[in-house]
Each structure stands twice: as structure tokens, then as C-alpha cells.
């Protein structure tokens, strides 16, 4: 319980991926979060629409195509590496809307970043041990994966040239990734007749500009990835990369309402 109490004062590792002014007016900024049924993400099987569970947090934005950033807070020295783990570029990667595993990104662009964390250094930096996470053992090092998906386009990140790059080698650990979903149906990507695919669905004339963030932890240190052709996306939406946790615990802008109820419902932290 002491560890959980201290963790409430931890600000997280990341800023929100958008400026606060871009959060949709009149909302709490969240369309759905981990454990809920997604309002806008669906699955087509045999021509029938099925609901999908929300695997992260989908932010409700005021406008479409707004800049999405992966911005680190001052985290001391505990984050050793920040690898661009995988990239899926629907605009320039030569990909088409598909029924295979890559469609789990809902036929939009996505980027997954792997943060290698020294848990001993975390304790030195923050003054308390790194939280215990179900089914994850550190032995001094763990990896936090963060995926940004439902991106209408990327900005300056390519599959061939950037997969495997350490953000600390090319920036201060923060980077512009791309631009958010417009919030409207795209008939070239959504509910493709005759296929089994993941897609966006909006009721009537509603528009929900958004971006989805997913997070998971894996025991130990992930190997530095490398691009290989042909390229198949293996970021969080398409592959099992450890234990899913609610992104709200790791982004500063979500933590104002972190309380015992949040800890209990998502089971990301063992109390």
C-alpha cells in the first residue's frame, strides 16, 4: 500500500500527445479506455459488424489531423533507450487495406516505441521502487511499449530508415510522430466488403477526431529492432508484447484523477 500511495505522486513518463487545447470541448477527452467496449473501432467478420474491446485509451479531439507527439517528461536517467520499435505507414509504405494481421491497426498508420527502463535507477531517481506489474519481472530492467495509432499520416518517420533508431540519438527523447484521425469514415479503409478486417465506424453524421494510445510492459530488455523486407507490422495492435496496462498511469495529463478505483479496475499495479 505504501508503494501505491507513493505512485500516486509519480507524474508519469510522458506528456499528453496533443496540446490540451485540442481535447474535444464538452468531453473528458476520452472516447474509451482499456476494459471498455470501443465506440468507434469495429471488426467485420463474414460481413457482420462486431464490437471490439478498447485496448488502450482513445483520445477525443476537437479537430482532425492535429500533430501527435511522443514527448518525454524529465525522467532522470532511468530510461536507457527509446527505440522506434515498429512503424506502419499507410500513406507511403505501399500498403493496402487488408484482411491480414496488419489490419488490426484499422488500416491507418501507427508507430510503436520501446522504452527500456532501468528499475534500479528509477528507484534512485524517484525515491521508491518501480511498481510491481502483474506477470512482469524486472531483474533490473523492463521494457515499456507505447503505440500511437489511428494516425492519418506520419511526419518524418519511415519504415525503412527509422525502425531501430534510438530517440536519444536523434532528439531529446521527444518527437513529432504524425497527425490524428480525421474522425470520418474512409470507404477505402473501412468495412471492406467480403473481408475480415478491423475498421472505424461512426454513427450517422458524427465525427470523432481521435488518436489511440496503447501501452504494455515486457520483462527484461527488448532487443534493438531492425527493418526487414517484406515488412509486416508487429507493434502493439498486431502482436503480443507483454502485459497491457492502462496508458492513464503513464501520461501526466491523465493522472489528475488517479485514485484507488483506477488502480483496482485496471490491475496494472499490485496493491
Amino acid at each position: 500500500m505504501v508503494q501505491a500511495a507513493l505512485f500516486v505522486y509519480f507524474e508519469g513518463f510522458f506528456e499528453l500527445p496533443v496540446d490540451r487545447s485540442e481535447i474535444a470541448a464538452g468531453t473528458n477527452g476520452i472516447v474509451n479506455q482499456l476494459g471498455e467496449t470501443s465506440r468507434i473501432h469495429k471488426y467485420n467478420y463474414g460481413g457482420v459488424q462486431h464490437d471490439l474491446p478498447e485496448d488502450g485509451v482513445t483520445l477525443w479531439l476537437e479537430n482532425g489531423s492535429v500533430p501527435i507527439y511522443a514527448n518525454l517528461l524529465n525522467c532522470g536517467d532511468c530510461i536507457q533507450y527509446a527505440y522506434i520499435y515498429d512503424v506502419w505507414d499507410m500513406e507511403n509504405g505501399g500498403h493496402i487495406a487488408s484482411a491480414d494481421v496488419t489490419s488490426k491497426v484499422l488500416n491507418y498508420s501507427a508507430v510503436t516505441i520501446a522504452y527500456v527502463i532501468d528499475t534500479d535507477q528509477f528507484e534512485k531517481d524517484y525515491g521508491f521502487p518501480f511498481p510491481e506489474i502483474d506477470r512482469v519481472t524486472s531483474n533490473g530492467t523492463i521494457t515499456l511499449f507505447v503505440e500511437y495509432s489511428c494516425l492519418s499520416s506520419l511526419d518524418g518517420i519511415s519504415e525503412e530508415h527509422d525502425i531501430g533508431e534510438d530517440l536519444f540519438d536523434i532528439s531529446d527523447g521527444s518527437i513529432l510522430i504524425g497527425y490524428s484521425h480525421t474522425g470520418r469514415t474512409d470507404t477505402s479503409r473501412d468495412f471492406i466488403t467480403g473481408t475480415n478486417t478491423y475498421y472505424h465506424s461512426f454513427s450517422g453524421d458524427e465525427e470523432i477526431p481521435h488518436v489511440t494510445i496503447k501501452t504494455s510492459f515486457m520483462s527484461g530488455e527488448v532487443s534493438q529492432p531492425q527493418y526487414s523486407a517484406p515488412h509486416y507490422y508487429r507493434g502493439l495492435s498486431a502482436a503480443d508484447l507483454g502485459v497491457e496496462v492502462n496508458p492513464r498511469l503513464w501520461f501526466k495529463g491523465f493522472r489528475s484523477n488517479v485514485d484507488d478505483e483506477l488502480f483496482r479496475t485496471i490491475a496494472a499495479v499490485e496493491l
Side-chain angles (χ1 to χ4, degrees):
M1 293 297 292
V2 173
Q3 185 185 58
L6 290 169
F7 191 60
V8 169
Y9 295 98
F10 169 62
E11 290 189 320
F13 288 132
F14 312 102
E15 294 281 6
L16 284 178
V18 297
D19 187 275
R20 287 181 178 275
S21 64
E22 294 294 349
I23 299 297
T27 76
N28 67 355
I30 296 176
V31 182
N32 291 111
Q33 65 177 309
L34 185 69
E36 299 176 347
T37 298
S38 177
R39 173 175 175 173
I40 59 177
H41 298 153
K42 305 295 180 180
Y43 177 60
N44 167 30
Y45 180 75
V48 178
Q49 175 177 290
H50 298 272
D51 290 332
L52 282 174
E54 178 62 70
D55 291 330
V57 167
T58 296
L59 287 182
W60 197 330
L61 305 178
E62 187 70 23
N63 303 291
S65 300
V66 301
I68 302 298
Y69 295 89
N71 283 349
L72 272 173
L73 298 170
N74 183 350
C75 304
D77 298 317
C78 65
I79 297 181
Q80 303 293 294
Y81 307 102
Y83 296 130
I84 298 178
Y85 185 79
D86 210 346
V87 177
W88 189 248
D89 188 348
M90 281 294 292
E91 299 296 312
N92 300 303
H95 309 305
I96 61 172
S98 170
D100 65 19
V101 68
T102 59
S103 82
K104 288 188 176 180
V105 292
L106 298 108
N107 293 313
Y108 278 78
S109 297
V111 174
T112 295
I113 302 173
Y115 298 90
V116 178
I117 301 168
D118 181 327
T119 54
D120 294 332
Q121 185 63 45
F122 177 94
E123 186 169 0
K124 293 177 183 178
D125 290 340
Y126 289 95
F128 61 92
F130 196 87
E132 297 178 5
I133 298 171
D134 298 339
R135 306 186 303 283
V136 175
T137 56
S138 72
N139 293 322
T141 307
I142 59 174
T143 301
L144 167 60
F145 295 94
V146 181
E147 180 190 74
Y148 300 87
S149 60
C150 299
L151 301 173
S152 61
S153 62
L154 303 182
D155 190 310
I157 297 180
S158 76
E159 297 174 4
E160 183 175 359
H161 299 293
D162 291 309
I163 291 175
E165 287 284 347
D166 185 347
L167 292 183
F168 292 126
D169 289 338
I170 58 178
S171 72
D172 61 356
S174 299
I175 190 171
L176 171 62
I177 292 177
Y179 300 91
S180 64
H181 194 286
T182 62
R184 299 185 297 272
T185 297
D186 182 337
T187 55
S188 68
R189 303 185 188 191
D190 296 316
F191 204 82
I192 306 164
T193 304
T195 65
N196 303 327
T197 188
Y198 297 75
Y199 65 99
H200 288 85
S201 177
F202 304 97
S203 297
D205 295 327
E206 75 174 354
E207 295 185 8
I208 302 181
H210 64 279
V211 63
T212 295
I213 310 164
K214 298 178 183 179
T215 49
S216 74
F217 279 98
M218 183 185 77
S219 302
E221 177 179 341
V222 69
S223 299
Q224 186 171 8
Q226 293 183 336
Y227 172 81
S228 61
H231 178 224
Y232 301 96
Y233 185 66
R234 291 296 181 265
L236 278 185
S237 287
D240 180 5
L241 296 175
V243 179
E244 290 180 344
V245 295
N246 194 315
R248 286 183 58 190
L249 288 176
W250 310 100
F251 284 78
K252 181 179 179 180
F254 290 142
R255 292 188 59 86
S256 59
N257 294 319
V258 169
D259 53 22
D260 288 343
E261 181 180 359
L262 177 60
F263 286 124
R264 287 195 302 270
T265 56
I266 65 175
V269 178
E270 295 178 347
L271 298 181

